[in-house]
Amino acid sequence: MKSAKKIFIWIDFISLIIIFSILFVILIFIKENIKNQYAKNQISELKKIDMIIYNMLNDKKEEFQLFLNNKNNPDIGNFITNFSDIYSVDQSYTINKIYKKDKHSHIFTGYNLSNSKLYKFLLQVDSDHPQFSPLIPSPEKEELSIYLSTRMNGELFIGRIGIDKINAILKPIAIYNNNIILIMTKDGYIISTTNNKIPFEILPELSLSILKLDKKYLYTRQRSEFLSDDFALLKPISDVYLIFDTLLRFYPLFILIILIIYFTKIILQFYLIFEPLEILLSYIKNFKNNPLNKDTEFGSLKIIEISELYKTFHDKMDQIELNLKTINQTNYEIEKIKLYLKNIIDSMPSMLISIDNHGIIQEWNQAAVTYFGLSSVDTMGKVLWEVLPHFSRYQQVFQQVIETKTIQELKRELLTNGEDKYMNISFFPLEENGIKGMAIRLDDITQLEKTEQILRQSQKMETIGTLAGGIAHDFNNILGGIVGTLSMMKLRTNNTIDLNTLRSHYNSYMNLMDDASQRAVNLVSHLLTLSRRQEPNFSLIDLNFVFQQIETICKNTFEKSIEIIVKPYFEPAVINADINQIEQVLLNICINSAHAMTLMKAENDVHGGLLSLHIQKIKSDKHFIKNHPEAKENLNYFILSVSDTGIGMEPNTLSKIFDPFFTTKDKGKGTGLGLSMVYNIVQLHKGFIDVYSELNHGTTFNIYLPILKSETPIQNNITENILTHGTGKILIIDDELIIRNMYHDMLSECGYEVYLAIDGLNGIEFYKNHFQEIELIVLDMAMPKLSGTETYIKLKEINPHLKVLMASGFRQDERVVKAINLGVNGFLQKPFTVETLSRAIKNILIVD
């Protein structure tokens, strides 16, 4: 840290230096600017003088031409006034005639010019046009002159213009402008001047010099465009320029005086201000130990500001001391509240995590410490999805909550932390006092989910039990068709010698059995779907297809006294849902409706009625939301309506139908879980349910499910029943003899060489000895001794690159998914046709 006194002195000193420097630069700039402006003006004047000389020489040339035209006139010399001398010379350069002569001229008739400097110029004159010479010493008198000469008829006519003639022109110009005009050689020797007081003969080569004569002159020099010499101009320097020049000469003295004043000021400031301030600072430092009276004076002078400063400090210290007591008390209360809130947050079973708008963790409660195994010290100040990588999938939700400031809730999210856990996750926006962020609450519902799964499975089995009689009846009808048809085939075969006559009958019998078998497959498929315990699997489904499935089950199982009417939507009704759970919802409601029209009616009432299912579409507008608070604005919904003409319900009963274990059926005829499951499943699909019922008039369930914003049509993959042939050796591992034989016959018909194994151990032993020949293995999922998955693992130890088609009578479940994850190449659902089998094998074999 620096002393304020030193900083103040240095600031003053540096400021002075800067001011002095700027002032010095300004003075030099102004002086040079004035000087340059003078130079520009002088150069312009020199050009004007040069032009005057040029005009004069042109006038002389015209006058000389007049002389030449009238040289025979005896009085011509009296008219030629601008020439000092005019004469002619013969071929020996001897003057043969004088037309005009200056009174001081030394020439005469018979004077030979061959020894003069004029002679060199005359040798160059070779035309009849007059030519000018440069300034040269003249033989007529001791001065410089300019000659004008021309050659005519073997004679040279010469006119001399003395320097006095040129001076006579320049002198008035110089006097008028108060200047001195000089003509000089290229080397700086003065040839002519308009002022004879110049004390020197040679001038400097460079222009813009300052010359001192009777006064100071600015010297400017310029080469003449018409003479072979230079012009120079001496112009008196202005008073303004001299002032600035004087200021620059006395500038050091000026600085010295300012510095003396400055240091005097510093000394006075030290004794009058800095010293009292240092005393005040010392008192302030020791105020706690030795507080002074408010009216204490500091220094030899009683400075009001310093005294007032101490008084203000004294008052503020009293206020600060009082405020500190209040703050300490407040901090104590705040710490108690913070500790209390911390205890509440840490004692909550929910995991609470707060993050700022950059995802950096700000709070981490004890439940989060226990679940994730990370202390708050290890997590605070770090980015959430770096600490917990599986939270990175919620970054989009995080951005949405921050931007829209709306709460987002995710139900039944599966998180893995050593074991699978189900969580309800809520995201709450935080924006208080300019701080943006989010609070995340995680509730472990694993046990609740497992309980619900058990209850859901129990309710599924209840549904199957309810449907069992109808399913058994339908299955017996299917088996009756197959058994009856087989008996007819045997009878006709035994009674006919030529079997060719039975071909048309056999084709008809086989078509009947094929249809019956397909009905049996579909029926078993529905039973497996209903009984299967699995996680929700959301995908795009068409509700029309679901209604078709429900219609088939209901018509096959419900009493014939119930008329069933299904009205599908006029186009694909696509939603994102778990098809098994939606089927479960509709089946539960349909079963309740069937019971309301049969079992629950009085003995004297007519059993049966009308069960109708239809699909509608509705847009969620303000009026709709007013009557259905659960709906989301600007969202379209499909309405799945299930109506019956059963006994109906009174309002008190209607208000409890979704409560777990509540039932209106007799003891032993219902668990009360059906509609509870319906409610939970619809909630999971972000939908809601309306129920309208009137006693003795029936009940209507309206299930609202949200429509995808961008509806994607479902494409039905229809494959043709075409037999696919191939070659190669295939190993069949299946514990059922009839199935092994069926594989053998089917694949042999397709062109393959088939080997059979009765179980996993037998198959492994065979494959050890023939693995280089076997191209593909068809492996049953459920077998004694070793399961299909265990068998596959051991087979893969023999050949890591083997190709396997897994087959099972069960629907594709987690066991199949596990086997596929291990590397199984495909799955085949039993029962199957020869076309399906051949196509599945070919699809695996053609893959490199």
Side-chain angles (χ1 to χ4, degrees):
M1 297 178 67
K2 304 294 183 184
S3 166
K5 176 176 66 178
K6 291 181 180 179
I7 293 173
F8 184 79
I9 293 171
W10 274 108
I11 289 174
D12 268 6
F13 185 69
I14 293 171
S15 300
L16 281 176
I17 292 175
I18 293 172
I19 292 170
F20 289 155
S21 302
I22 292 173
L23 185 60
F24 183 72
V25 170
I26 289 173
L27 290 173
I28 291 177
F29 175 77
I30 294 174
K31 177 185 172 185
E32 290 300 316
N33 193 49
I34 295 172
K35 183 178 177 182
N36 291 335
Q37 191 62 42
Y38 266 77
K40 288 180 183 178
N41 294 337
Q42 287 181 224
I43 290 171
S44 177
E45 288 186 29
L46 287 173
K47 288 183 179 179
K48 292 178 182 178
I49 292 168
D50 200 19
M51 186 59 65
I52 290 170
I53 297 297
Y54 172 74
N55 291 333
M56 183 200 75
L57 293 177
N58 280 339
D59 292 341
K60 302 298 184 187
K61 186 181 286 187
E62 292 176 1
E63 191 174 349
F64 189 68
Q65 189 65 45
L66 177 65
F67 156 72
L68 293 175
N69 294 336
N70 299 280
K71 62 182 181 295
N72 296 325
N73 186 343
D75 298 323
I76 190 63
N78 297 326
F79 299 103
I80 308 303
T81 59
N82 291 323
F83 283 89
S84 302
D85 298 289
I86 297 179
Y87 50 86
S88 62
V89 297
D90 58 16
Q91 294 181 352
S92 62
Y93 297 97
T94 301
I95 298 174
N96 55 18
K97 186 174 181 179
I98 297 174
Y99 297 93
K100 181 182 179 182
K101 180 180 177 183
D102 188 89
K103 64 181 179 178
H104 299 294
S105 178
H106 301 298
I107 63 170
F108 52 86
T109 302
Y111 188 87
N112 191 280
L113 301 176
S114 59
N115 293 323
S116 67
K117 290 188 178 181
L118 177 60
Y119 176 69
K120 291 183 181 180
F121 166 69
L122 296 176
L123 289 176
Q124 299 173 6
V125 179
D126 57 358
S127 72
D128 54 357
H129 296 290
Q131 297 183 31
F132 283 105
S133 73
L135 281 168
I136 56 177
S138 62
E140 290 85 359
K141 58 188 295 187
E142 294 300 324
E143 66 178 15
L144 295 174
S145 301
I146 296 175
Y147 288 89
L148 186 62
S149 177
T150 187
R151 191 180 293 277
M152 293 179 64
N153 300 324
E155 288 185 298
L156 277 173
F157 294 91
I158 303 168
R160 181 177 74 86
I161 305 168
I163 194 70
D164 56 325
K165 298 286 186 183
I166 298 173
N167 283 337
I169 295 171
L170 299 179
K171 195 165 186 178
I173 299 171
I175 292 172
Y176 177 78
N177 293 318
N178 197 25
N179 297 335
I180 300 175
I181 301 173
L182 303 97
I183 302 174
M184 63 188 71
T185 65
K186 297 177 182 178
D187 297 328
Y189 286 92
I190 298 174
I191 297 173
S192 171
T193 176
T194 59
N195 187 338
N196 296 325
K197 296 179 181 180
I198 295 178
F200 32 77
E201 296 181 353
I202 301 176
L203 290 175
E205 291 186 14
L206 298 176
S207 295
L208 304 180
S209 301
I210 304 297
L211 299 179
K212 187 173 181 182
L213 302 175
D214 56 329
K215 59 180 78 173
K216 286 187 177 182
Y217 289 87
L218 180 64
Y219 161 63
T220 308
R221 183 172 173 178
Q222 182 81 16
R223 177 61 49 84
S224 173
E225 294 184 12
F226 311 110
L227 299 177
S228 58
D229 300 295
D230 291 353
F231 285 111
L233 188 67
L234 297 178
K235 193 174 190 69
I237 296 296
S238 69
D239 293 338
V240 175
Y241 181 85
L242 292 175
I243 290 171
F244 281 100
D245 188 56
T246 304
L247 286 174
L248 286 172
R249 281 191 290 111
F250 287 100
Y251 196 69
L253 179 60
F254 170 73
I255 292 176
L256 179 61
I257 293 170
I258 296 298
L259 288 175
I260 290 172
I261 295 172
Y262 169 72
F263 284 114
T264 303
K265 172 177 134 335
I266 292 297
I267 293 170
L268 290 174
Q269 283 177 340
F270 179 79
Y271 285 107
L272 298 179
I273 297 176
F274 292 134
E275 188 176 25
L277 283 175
E278 287 179 349
I279 296 171
L280 173 63
L281 182 62
S282 175
Y283 284 149
I284 289 174
K285 286 181 179 178
N286 299 307
F287 180 83
K288 216 170 187 182
N289 300 323
N290 186 24
L292 300 177
N293 189 280
K294 283 186 181 182
D295 300 321
T296 302
E297 301 295 341
F298 300 90
S300 56
L301 292 178
K302 296 181 179 180
I303 300 175
I304 296 174
E305 288 80 6
I306 294 178
S307 297
E308 288 297 323
L309 181 63
Y310 180 74
K311 289 177 182 178
T312 305
F313 170 78
H314 199 285
D315 292 338
K316 293 299 178 185
M317 284 300 296
D318 291 341
Q319 293 178 15
I320 290 170
E321 188 172 355
L322 181 61
N323 290 338
L324 278 175
K325 291 180 180 178
T326 305
I327 290 171
N328 289 334
Q329 182 63 31
T330 305
N331 286 340
Y332 175 72
E333 297 295 331
I334 290 172
E335 286 299 322
K336 283 178 64 178
I337 293 171
K338 284 176 66 177
L339 183 60
Y340 181 69
L341 291 175
K342 178 68 174 171
N343 289 335
I344 292 174
I345 292 172
D346 282 341
S347 63
M348 291 179 66
S350 299
M351 289 164 270
L352 289 177
I353 303 169
S354 68
I355 57 177
D356 64 13
N357 59 335
H358 300 294
I360 297 174
I361 298 171
Q362 305 296 316
E363 186 63 45
W364 183 272
N365 77 339
Q366 187 59 40
V369 172
T370 304
Y371 179 77
F372 294 110
L374 297 170
S375 67
S376 57
V377 176
D378 297 329
T379 57
M380 299 286 281
K382 296 180 181 178
V383 178
L384 175 61
W385 30 88
E386 291 179 359
V387 175
L388 304 175
H390 47 273
F391 263 84
S392 59
R393 60 178 168 168
Y394 301 118
Q395 288 189 53
Q396 187 174 358
V397 178
F398 164 74
Q399 291 296 335
Q400 185 178 357
V401 171
I402 292 294
E403 292 171 4
T404 62
K405 301 180 182 64
T406 57
I407 298 172
Q408 293 286 336
E409 295 186 357
L410 303 178
K411 302 293 186 180
R412 293 180 173 86
E413 288 291 302
L414 180 62
L415 297 181
T416 301
N417 187 33
E419 60 176 321
D420 290 346
K421 295 282 187 178
Y422 291 92
M423 296 284 176
N424 283 343
I425 306 177
S426 301
F427 300 87
F428 301 93
L430 298 177
E431 187 167 9
E432 190 68 30
N433 299 324
I435 300 173
K436 289 185 177 180
M438 181 173 66
I440 304 172
R441 188 184 77 197
L442 298 94
D443 293 300
D444 189 346
I445 59 165
T446 305
Q447 193 58 42
L448 178 62
E449 178 66 18
K450 289 179 179 179
T451 303
E452 284 193 3
Q453 286 179 0
I454 295 170
L455 294 175
R456 197 180 300 122
Q457 189 68 16
S458 173
Q459 204 281 326
K460 282 185 178 182
M461 300 313 295
E462 179 188 348
T463 301
I464 293 173
T466 303
L467 301 174
I471 292 172
H473 177 269
D474 196 43
F475 210 76
N476 283 332
N477 286 338
I478 294 170
L479 289 176
I482 295 173
V483 171
T485 302
L486 284 173
S487 66
M488 285 298 299
M489 290 176 69
K490 286 181 180 180
L491 178 64
R492 293 205 172 188
T493 302
N494 294 332
N495 295 335
T496 305
I497 298 174
D498 186 4
L499 295 179
N500 287 327
T501 60
L502 297 178
R503 182 179 297 275
S504 61
H505 294 288
Y506 281 178
N507 286 335
S508 175
Y509 292 152
M510 283 188 287
N511 288 334
L512 287 173
M513 287 191 292
D514 186 55
D515 289 342
S517 299
Q518 190 59 47
R519 284 178 61 197
V521 168
N522 291 336
L523 188 59
V524 172
S525 175
H526 288 311
L527 282 172
L528 289 173
T529 299
L530 288 172
S531 63
R532 188 167 46 155
R533 181 176 177 178
Q534 60 176 23
E535 300 298 327
N537 181 21
F538 284 78
S539 61
L540 299 182
I541 67 169
D542 184 355
L543 292 173
N544 291 329
F545 175 74
V546 176
F547 269 39
Q548 181 184 345
Q549 299 289 88
I550 297 301
E551 181 183 14
T552 301
I553 295 174
C554 291
K555 283 185 176 180
N556 290 334
T557 57
F558 291 173
E559 291 185 15
K560 301 305 179 184
S561 60
I562 298 175
E563 181 185 357
I564 301 173
I565 298 176
V566 176
K567 295 179 182 178
Y569 200 59
F570 64 91
E571 61 182 17
V574 180
I575 64 169
N576 186 33
D578 183 311
I579 189 169
N580 295 323
Q581 291 193 353
I582 298 300
E583 286 183 358
Q584 181 72 35
V585 166
L586 293 172
L587 272 177
N588 285 355
I589 296 174
C590 288
I591 289 171
N592 284 348
S593 295
H595 288 172
M597 292 186 287
T598 56
L599 297 178
M600 299 175 69
K601 281 193 173 184
E603 292 183 4
N604 298 327
D605 291 341
V606 178
H607 281 214
L610 176 64
L611 174 64
S612 62
L613 297 89
H614 67 277
I615 303 174
Q616 293 177 306
K617 188 176 183 181
I618 191 169
K619 184 175 181 181
S620 180
D621 54 19
K622 291 182 179 179
H623 177 73
F624 181 76
I625 291 177
K626 185 177 180 181
N627 296 303
H628 301 83
E630 308 96 327
K632 303 293 184 183
E633 192 172 358
N634 297 324
L635 189 65
N636 293 338
Y637 288 87
F638 279 123
I639 307 174
L640 284 61
S641 294
V642 180
S643 299
D644 65 65
T645 58
I647 62 173
M649 291 177 281
E650 58 184 10
N652 186 43
T653 303
L654 190 62
S655 64
K656 301 177 183 178
I657 58 173
F658 295 117
D659 294 346
F661 306 108
F662 175 78
T663 179
T664 59
K665 299 173 186 178
D666 294 338
K667 187 175 181 180
K669 292 185 178 181
T671 62
L673 295 173
L675 291 181
S676 176
M677 291 295 106
V678 166
Y679 181 82
N680 289 337
I681 291 172
V682 173
Q683 286 284 311
L684 181 63
H685 287 75
K686 302 185 185 304
F688 56 94
I689 306 174
D690 276 350
V691 184
Y692 174 78
S693 184
E694 189 174 342
L695 199 62
N696 300 321
H697 285 83
T699 303
T700 298
F701 282 80
N702 288 323
I703 303 165
Y704 296 85
L705 296 175
I707 303 174
L708 292 175
K709 288 184 179 180
S710 176
E711 296 185 12
T712 305
I714 297 178
Q715 297 180 355
N716 294 319
N717 296 322
I718 301 174
T719 56
E720 297 181 1
N721 290 328
I722 300 174
L723 188 64
T724 305
H725 292 83
T727 58
K729 296 181 178 181
I730 296 177
L731 173 62
I732 307 298
I733 305 177
D734 198 300
D735 62 309
E736 291 288 342
L737 176 61
I738 188 171
I739 299 298
R740 290 198 302 273
N741 292 336
M742 180 190 66
Y743 276 126
H744 183 276
D745 293 344
M746 287 182 173
L747 294 178
S748 297
E749 186 67 27
C750 294
Y752 297 102
E753 187 175 345
V754 184
Y755 299 93
L756 304 177
I758 61 174
D759 55 29
L761 294 176
N762 182 242
I764 293 168
E765 189 63 30
F766 182 87
Y767 189 67
K768 280 183 182 178
N769 301 321
H770 303 88
F771 73 92
Q772 293 179 339
E773 307 169 21
I774 302 299
E775 295 190 32
L776 183 138
I777 299 174
V778 180
L779 180 61
D780 187 35
M781 172 63 74
M783 294 186 298
K785 299 180 181 178
L786 285 179
S787 69
T789 303
E790 293 170 333
T791 303
Y792 171 74
I793 293 171
K794 292 187 177 296
L795 289 170
K796 200 169 182 180
E797 292 174 358
I798 301 171
N799 178 14
H801 304 292
L802 82 166
K803 294 181 178 181
V804 173
L805 174 64
M806 187 76 77
S808 177
F810 293 100
R811 294 290 295 271
Q812 185 170 342
D813 55 14
E814 62 273 6
R815 295 175 299 172
V816 176
V817 173
K818 179 181 177 182
I820 291 174
N821 291 336
L822 290 172
V824 169
N825 304 89
F827 175 74
L828 185 64
Q829 178 71 58
K830 295 179 182 179
F832 48 80
T833 63
V834 63
E835 291 86 2
T836 304
L837 175 63
S838 65
R839 189 164 52 250
I841 289 176
K842 192 67 175 180
N843 288 339
I844 295 174
L845 291 178
I846 61 175
V847 177
D848 293 332

